[in-house]
């Protein structure tokens, strides 16, 4: 699994997955997919990491792809929750953008192993499952776009291209999962603060206009 930082913010990874055997298999799949990639991972690899037989996996998941979809769905639901909470929260557009970026980056750093699988294995999903996840990604995109549009309307942001800037902001945040390491010089909270400052500067807001969120 990810480091102890996985529990940052009170989030207990995979607590929504029951029974325990299904959770163990899902955690093993996350580790294997992150380490080897989805296509190079076999159901035997996953079962072995979970300390179970390959046959036991099929009791809980019909296919390897079903496991990936479950992982992706939970991760994207969490991403949407983070961004929607910030978008719907109180304060100015700058304050809400600060909260969105801090929280989103912090999650991608604290849960970097999970986030790599969630964000970078989308093409391995079956068409119907991919459509399900794409719909969630569009909702996340809409939450950030709404904050940016509010900021432009209020005169807080200088953003000539809201859709393009939305894509840039989300891409910047998501990429944290690719490089973050617990042995690095910054904690998830510190990376979140750094990226919030960078994004506020990107959109032409003055960082002091946004109160730091914890």
């Amino acid at each position: 699994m990810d480091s102890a930082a996985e529990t940052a913010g009170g989030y207990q990874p995979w607590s929504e997955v029951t029974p325990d055997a299904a959770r163990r298999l899902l955690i093993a799949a996350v580790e294997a997919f992150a380490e080897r990639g989805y296509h190079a991972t076999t159901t035997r690899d996953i079962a072995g990491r979970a300390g179970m037989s390959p046959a036991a996996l099929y009791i809980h998941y019909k296919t390897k792809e079903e496991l990936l979809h479950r992982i992706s769905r939970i991760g994207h639901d969490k991403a949407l929750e983070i961004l929607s909470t910030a978008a719907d929260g109180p304060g100015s557009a700058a304050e809400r953008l600060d909260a969105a970026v801090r929280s989103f980056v912090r999650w991608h750093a604290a849960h970097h192993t999970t986030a790599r699988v969630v964000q970078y294995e989308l093409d391995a999903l079956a068409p119907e499952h991919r459509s399900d996840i794409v719909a969630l990604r569009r909702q996340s995109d809409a939450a950030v776009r709404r904050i940016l549009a509010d900021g432009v309307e209020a005169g807080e942001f200088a953003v000539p291209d809201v859709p393009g800037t939305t894509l840039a902001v989300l891409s910047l945040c998501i990429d944290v999962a690719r490089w973050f390491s617990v042995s690095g010089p910054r904690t998830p909270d510190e990376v979140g603060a750094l990226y919030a400052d960078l994004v506020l500067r990107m959109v032409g807001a003055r960082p002091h206009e946004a109160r730091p969120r914890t």
Side-chain angles (χ1 to χ4, degrees), residues 16 70-84 107 118 132-133 136-137 139-140:
E16 55 273 88
R70 182 82 167 116
I71 293 163
S72 191
R73 178 69 199 226
I74 291 171
H76 280 88
D77 280 341
K78 185 63 181 178
L80 179 57
E81 176 191 330
I82 290 168
L83 295 172
S84 295
W107 189 86
V118 168
D132 175 50
I133 299 305
L136 289 173
R137 290 170 79 99
Q139 291 180 64
S140 292

Side-chain angles (χ1 to χ4, degrees), residues 163-209:
T165 303
T166 299
L167 177 60
V169 170
L170 287 171
S171 297
L172 187 69
C173 296
I174 288 168
D175 193 57
V176 169
R178 184 183 56 78
W179 60 261
F180 184 83
S181 171
V182 293
S183 61
R186 291 188 173 92
T187 66
D189 283 340
E190 289 169 340
V191 178
L194 172 64
Y195 274 52
D197 179 82
L198 291 173
V199 168
L200 287 170
R201 294 177 188 277
M202 179 195 302
V203 301
R206 293 185 294 274
H208 71 263
E209 293 177 347

Side-chain angles (χ1 to χ4, degrees), residues 55-67:
L57 185 148
Y58 297 107
I59 296 174
H60 303 282
Y61 302 99
K62 294 178 182 178
T63 65
K64 182 177 71 166
E65 191 274 339
E66 182 181 311
L67 252 174

Side-chain angles (χ1 to χ4, degrees), residues 4-171:
E6 277 274 50
T7 57
Y11 173 67
Q12 298 296 323
W14 316 120
S15 59
E16 55 273 88
V17 180
T18 57
D20 179 68
R23 185 186 306 110
R24 285 164 51 202
L25 285 163
L26 189 141
I27 291 169
V30 168
E31 294 172 348
F33 294 158
E35 181 181 312
R36 306 187 62 185
Y38 173 81
H39 292 293
T41 299
T42 67
T43 54
R44 185 175 295 275
D45 294 331
I46 295 167
R49 285 173 182 261
M52 301 165 70
S53 70
L57 185 148
Y58 297 107
I59 296 174
H60 303 282
Y61 302 99
K62 294 178 182 178
T63 65
K64 182 177 71 166
E65 191 274 339
E66 182 181 311
L67 252 174
L68 177 62
H69 177 240
R70 182 82 167 116
I71 293 163
S72 191
R73 178 69 199 226
I74 291 171
H76 280 88
D77 280 341
K78 185 63 181 178
L80 179 57
E81 176 191 330
I82 290 168
L83 295 172
S84 295
T85 297
D88 295 335
S92 66
E95 289 169 340
R96 287 182 286 136
L97 184 60
D98 177 272
V101 173
R102 281 176 185 265
S103 299
F104 201 46
V105 167
R106 185 168 55 222
W107 189 86
H108 278 80
H111 311 282
H112 53 278
T113 303
T114 297
R116 282 201 303 275
V117 176
V118 168
Q119 298 292 358
Y120 296 114
E121 293 287 3
L122 184 64
D123 289 341
L125 292 170
E128 66 275 15
H129 287 160
R130 190 177 191 281
S131 296
D132 175 50
I133 299 305
V134 167
L136 289 173
R137 290 170 79 99
R138 286 175 177 158
Q139 291 180 64
S140 292
D141 179 282
V144 175
R145 187 180 302 195
R146 178 154 51 89
I147 298 173
L148 293 177
D150 288 348
V152 171
E153 183 177 358
E156 295 181 53
F157 302 157
V159 178
D161 181 350
V162 170
T165 303
T166 299
L167 177 60
V169 170
L170 287 171
S171 297

